Amino acid sequence: MHFADITYPEDLSEDMALAASLVAGEIESYRLENRYVRKDGRILWGMLTTSLVRNAEGGPQFLIGMIENITERKQAEEALILAKDYNRGLIEASIDPLATIDAEGRITDVNAATEKATGYARDELIGTDFSDYFTDPDRAQAGYRQTFVDGEVRDYPLEIRHRDGWMTPVLYNTAVYRDGRGRVAGIFAAARDITERKRAELALQESEEQFRALLDATPDATVLIDREGTILALNETMAARSGGSIEDLRGTCVYDLFPPDLAASRKKWADEAFSSARPIRMTDEYEGRIFDHILFPIKGANGQVRRLAVISSDVTERKQVERIRQEAYDRIEQNIEQFAILADHVHQPLQVILGTAALLDEGTATERIQKQVERINAIVKQLDRGWIESRKIREFLRRHEAA
């Protein structure tokens, strides 16, 4: 069998060229990594070391070749190259800043997102201390050290500092990587940009502060609940009425604050408001007090009612005033009716007296009687004007009360 028959075809030309140079005396020996084909078709890697044996006249006699099996080493090298290519592909495919950092804290690789976040090119970043690119280097170093202790760090808050001075809030996630001997060689670090989330949190905080100010500015008891009745927010008036503090009541069930019958009634109305997505107004009593409630559904981003704002007004005094006012109106009405009846009752006897006086022969007595009747008539007319004025006053009060 010729030696060429076991050499992988693509590797044969270089081997032959070097052998020719060896025979020509251009080189004394050569080493070459080649692939060789076994009888069963398997391909092996070998390190070929070739030298020339000359005859007595100094001419080439034969070649001596020694092949060392380096298949495992080549497979390991190829696996390493593949792994590096694979890792590089993963790093570049990520839209988040990614970096590999060695055991001394030096950056060994970064992706384009890291270049964008820091403002530095890849060549500028590699070999530098990773913590130099954070607003708090000590905190960054602490997270780095913690990775070696725990093997990973999750959602570690940091701020990347751009070379132009602006900052990007991120959550760092890290994990160790090991060398071929299983020793920790460094860490993978990934940063998730949470700028939008921070803005949303700030907007939510401002919204909550405004909502809290609105709650506290409302004199009525106000509470915000979800479908299960969990108290999400409340004001001081509601807390005081319930006999607790805002901190103690937040997160509890609002229906637990009332007797079962009242709780069931209020839950029924709340469920109706959630289902109908329309404001509801209802009135009930608790511990001798009368309350007006406005149940206002609040929709989420998906258009579904997720929360319910309940505003409760203690209207006990107002109801009492309304009752007293109504009683006063009723009394006025009765007085007006009595005035009218009294006037009728007085008019009739007076007419009888006047008729009787006209039949008397005594002129002086008759005249005196007529004067007294006229006086009584004047008083009755005054009473008539009084109940008419009373009607006007009643109508005026009712008109202004309605307004």
Side-chain angles (χ1 to χ4, degrees):
M1 177 181 291
H2 194 280
F3 187 73
D5 294 336
I6 65 171
T7 304
Y8 194 75
E10 294 181 6
D11 297 344
L12 184 60
S13 58
E14 185 178 5
D15 191 2
M16 293 297 99
L18 288 172
S21 297
L22 184 60
V23 172
E26 297 173 358
I27 57 175
E28 295 183 359
S29 64
Y30 66 88
R31 288 169 60 86
L32 182 65
E33 292 182 357
N34 275 343
R35 288 168 288 182
Y36 300 96
V37 183
R38 285 169 42 112
K39 184 178 181 180
D40 59 7
R42 288 181 57 199
I43 297 176
L44 302 178
W45 278 93
M47 175 64 75
L48 172 64
T49 303
T50 305
S51 59
L52 176 66
V53 176
R54 298 183 180 275
N55 57 25
E57 288 78 21
Q61 187 173 6
F62 55 85
L63 297 174
I64 298 177
M66 182 180 68
I67 301 175
E68 176 188 359
N69 189 346
I70 60 171
T71 302
E72 291 185 0
R73 193 196 78 189
K74 291 295 291 185
Q75 289 175 341
E77 289 175 354
E78 290 177 353
L80 180 60
I81 293 173
L82 180 62
K84 287 182 177 180
D85 290 342
Y86 178 75
N87 290 337
R88 184 68 199 163
L90 287 179
I91 289 175
E92 286 301 335
S94 175
I95 61 173
D96 294 324
L98 295 178
T100 53
I101 304 168
D102 65 19
E104 283 72 43
R106 294 187 298 266
I107 297 173
T108 57
D109 201 2
V110 298
N111 66 348
T114 303
E115 295 178 284
K116 182 178 179 181
T118 61
Y120 294 92
R122 181 170 179 265
D123 292 342
E124 294 178 287
L125 293 167
I126 291 177
T128 61
D129 190 317
F130 84 99
S131 63
D132 291 341
Y133 304 98
F134 295 96
T135 58
D136 189 344
D138 292 339
R139 178 170 174 78
Q141 287 285 353
Y144 172 78
R145 291 191 297 270
Q146 193 63 37
T147 303
F148 286 95
V149 174
D150 298 335
E152 64 178 15
V153 167
R154 290 287 175 264
D155 295 334
Y156 192 77
L158 289 170
E159 280 187 335
I160 296 176
R161 187 188 69 252
H162 193 274
R163 73 188 308 166
D164 292 335
W166 46 269
M167 274 73 77
T168 302
V170 297
L171 290 179
Y172 241 61
N173 292 276
T174 61
V176 298
Y177 66 86
R178 302 179 184 275
D179 60 19
R181 298 181 182 180
R183 298 174 300 186
V184 175
I187 67 170
F188 289 109
R192 172 58 53 87
D193 186 341
I194 57 171
T195 302
E196 293 303 321
R197 196 181 84 178
K198 285 288 188 180
R199 288 174 181 168
E201 290 176 351
L202 180 60
L204 179 60
Q205 181 181 354
E206 292 177 350
S207 176
E208 288 179 346
E209 289 175 353
Q210 292 173 356
F211 181 68
R212 167 61 54 196
L214 180 62
L215 283 180
D216 291 338
T218 303
D220 298 321
T222 306
V223 61
L224 185 69
I225 62 174
D226 61 15
R227 280 188 173 270
E228 288 70 39
T230 303
I231 297 175
L232 306 175
L234 69 161
N235 64 357
E236 291 287 354
T237 305
M238 178 64 187
R241 184 181 294 177
S242 303
S245 67
I246 291 178
E247 291 73 19
D248 293 337
L249 292 172
R250 188 185 293 117
T252 63
C253 182
V254 70
Y255 303 120
D256 292 340
L257 302 176
F258 312 109
D261 291 346
L262 182 62
S265 174
R266 291 188 175 182
K267 186 176 187 305
K268 176 184 176 182
W269 286 107
D271 291 342
E272 174 65 22
F274 273 112
S275 300
S276 67
R278 292 182 291 103
I280 291 177
R281 186 164 190 166
M282 44 87 65
T283 302
D284 60 16
E285 295 187 22
Y286 176 47
E287 294 183 342
R289 309 292 293 180
I290 304 172
F291 298 96
D292 271 351
H293 310 284
I294 298 177
L295 287 62
F296 191 85
I298 300 175
K299 296 181 180 180
N302 59 359
Q304 299 297 316
V305 177
R306 298 177 54 196
R307 298 176 180 180
L308 192 69
V310 182
I311 303 174
S312 298
S313 304
D314 186 340
V315 296
T316 307
E317 283 75 16
R318 193 187 76 192
K319 291 292 185 180
Q320 290 174 346
V321 170
E322 290 175 355
R323 178 178 55 80
I324 294 172
R325 184 186 297 114
Q326 186 59 47
E327 290 177 355
Y329 287 151
D330 293 342
R331 180 63 58 85
I332 292 173
E333 192 73 30
Q334 292 173 6
N335 290 341
I336 291 173
E337 292 177 359
Q338 289 175 359
F339 287 156
I341 294 171
L342 180 61
D344 290 340
H345 288 175
V346 171
H347 277 300
Q348 292 175 1
L350 285 177
Q351 295 304 319
V352 174
I353 294 173
L354 284 174
T356 304
L359 298 175
L360 295 176
D361 294 332
E362 298 180 2
T364 302
T366 300
E367 184 179 350
R368 291 177 61 187
I369 291 173
Q370 289 175 340
K371 286 183 178 180
Q372 293 301 318
V373 169
E374 290 174 358
R375 182 180 177 188
I376 294 173
N377 266 329
I379 294 174
V380 171
K381 288 180 180 179
Q382 187 176 357
L383 288 175
D384 286 340
R385 287 194 298 272
W387 70 259
I388 291 173
E389 292 299 323
S390 296
R391 283 184 181 275
K392 291 180 180 179
I393 292 172
R394 180 194 62 184
E395 295 303 323
F396 173 84
L397 290 176
R398 285 186 171 173
R399 284 197 305 272
H400 284 268
E401 179 183 24

